[in-house]
Each structure stands twice: as C-alpha cells, then as structure tokens.
Amino acid sequence: KKRILIIEMKKATIDNQEIVKQMKGSLCFMKYCEKIGQEFWGKSDFLKGFHYRYIALLHVSINKRRTRIERPSKRFDTPATMMKIACHHHLEFNLLAGR
C-alpha cells in the first residue's frame, strides 16, 4: 500500500487540538500538491491511491530512551485519531505506516 506519513514533532506535550490543527494544515498542503501535479503536470492520478497516516512525536529533545507507543484503538488515518509516540529512539516504518 502507498502511505503518506504526516508527522508532527513537539518538544513538550501540548493540547491535542493544537496538534490536530497543524496536521489538518499539512493535509491541506498535501491536497494542494496533489492538485498542482494534476493541473500543471497533467497527471490525473498524481498522489491518488495514497493512504494518510498521522503521527505525533512528543518530547523530541529529551534523552533517548526506549520507545513507548500509545497504541491507537482506531486506525490513525485522521488528525483526531493520530498515533502518539513519546520517548522515541528507534521507529520502524511498518509500525508507523500501520502495516
């Protein structure tokens, strides 16, 4: 499957609604890029078939420790249902992409 990962990195924990707004802004930017590819390059299928995944990396500036991931109960395919990761050291793409 094709995935687009939208990742928000934060030094500290902030309000979820603020992260959601930033992720929605990233989604708008990606939709803009999709439209550019379609209109200017004549590629009607540009970025079609990609699935979005939303991830928040929290506490980015702290010392490296073992990764603790808050497992989402739902698929993290909307800004409001993002996967949250704190104290990241080693991340696997398959986990982030929801495979």
Side-chain angles (χ1 to χ4, degrees):
K1 290 183 178 181
K2 300 176 189 177
R3 307 269 193 223
I4 294 175
L5 303 180
I6 295 182
I7 300 172
E8 184 63 36
M9 298 173 67
K10 294 292 175 195
K11 289 184 179 181
T13 304
I14 64 168
D15 181 36
N16 266 3
Q17 290 305 318
E18 191 63 32
I19 297 174
V20 168
K21 288 177 187 177
Q22 291 174 338
M23 289 184 170
K24 285 181 178 181
S26 296
L27 177 61
C28 290
F29 175 73
M30 290 305 301
K31 293 298 182 181
Y32 171 76
C33 292
E34 182 179 326
K35 200 64 173 169
I36 292 290
Q38 292 170 353
E39 297 297 325
F40 288 94
W41 301 333
K43 306 271 185 184
S44 60
D45 61 345
F46 187 74
L47 295 179
K48 292 292 183 187
F50 281 81
H51 299 275
Y52 288 87
R53 295 293 179 257
Y54 300 85
I55 301 160
L57 297 177
L58 307 175
H59 309 289
V60 173
S61 65
I62 63 173
N63 293 332
K64 294 180 180 180
R65 291 190 264 168
R66 188 177 190 124
T67 301
R68 183 179 72 241
I69 297 178
E70 202 177 291
R71 300 271 178 201
S73 58
K74 304 175 187 172
R75 296 187 62 86
F76 45 103
D77 55 357
T78 69
T81 61
M82 73 186 106
M83 175 190 288
K84 293 182 189 174
I85 300 173
C87 306
H88 53 84
H89 172 67
H90 174 77
L91 300 174
E92 293 184 25
F93 178 77
N94 287 343
L95 176 65
L96 295 178
R99 293 184 180 171

